[in-house]
Amino acid sequence: MNVVIDTSTIIRATLEQNRMAQRALSLSIREHQVLLTDEMAKELAATIVIVAEKKGQNPKPPLRVAATYLLRANRVRTATVYS
């Protein structure tokens, strides 16, 4: 199954330690094919750094999770229709 995980879910899973977000992220990375656009990848990296700095946390652990997510993801065109 193809899935798209929103940036906010990754933020909640890594920086806020939200259990449901962690489960959703873990399941999507292990069991499903993750889809994303180049714009989503850039947004993810920038947002993680900004939010981590605002919360006074180290951005490296969430960036490692994001790197795993990005490496497993299939790049799709921005005009892709999701159904």
Side-chain angles (χ1 to χ4, degrees):
M1 176 182 356
N2 294 330
V3 296
V4 176
I5 300 294
D6 188 44
T7 299
S8 64
T9 303
I10 296 173
I11 296 291
R12 285 194 321 267
T14 57
L15 291 172
E16 297 174 4
Q17 304 302 315
N18 180 292
R19 286 282 192 210
M20 289 302 288
Q22 288 173 340
R23 288 180 184 150
L25 182 61
S26 175
L27 181 65
S28 67
I29 289 174
R30 286 184 292 118
E31 303 292 331
H32 303 295
Q33 181 57 57
V34 180
L35 304 176
L36 72 122
T37 65
D38 289 334
E39 182 180 312
M40 290 166 63
K42 293 173 188 174
E43 173 193 333
L44 177 61
T47 304
I48 286 174
V49 171
I50 291 168
V51 172
E53 285 179 358
K54 284 185 178 180
K55 291 182 174 281
Q57 295 182 9
N58 183 1
K60 288 181 183 177
L63 286 173
R64 287 186 192 112
V65 172
T68 301
Y69 173 78
L70 295 173
L71 288 172
R72 293 251 314 121
N74 263 354
R75 300 268 194 272
V76 293
R77 292 189 313 258
T78 306
T80 300
V81 176
Y82 299 100
S83 59

